[in-house]
Amino acid sequence: MSARDDYLKIQISQRTLASLIAGRHLTAEQLRGLNPTARRALRRILLDSLREEGLGGGH
């Protein structure tokens, strides 16, 4: 199996992605935006998830 076989290219709604991150089912290290628009959206979702965690008292 080559290194290319280790990755899947998928589409997921931003709302679903945010939910998975908030539920700690995915982490930033597991994600990569494939183009500038996707990278900006991913950065915003990750920053929003940190802000919401801080407002909720965190773990």
Side-chain angles (χ1 to χ4, degrees):
M1 191 181 277
S2 72
R4 290 179 67 159
D5 294 334
D6 292 341
Y7 295 92
L8 295 174
K9 292 180 183 180
I10 63 169
Q11 288 185 307
I12 187 170
S13 74
Q14 292 185 35
R15 178 177 283 173
T16 300
L17 178 60
S19 175
L20 290 170
I21 291 169
R24 298 180 184 236
H25 300 288
L26 287 174
T27 63
E29 294 85 13
Q30 296 170 309
L31 304 169
R32 182 177 74 144
L34 297 180
N35 59 52
T37 301
R39 285 190 286 275
R40 281 191 297 274
L42 181 55
R43 185 179 308 117
R44 182 181 40 76
I45 289 168
L46 292 168
L47 289 172
D48 286 349
S49 74
L50 290 172
R51 184 173 354 136
E52 290 173 13
E53 185 175 303
L55 293 175
H59 285 44

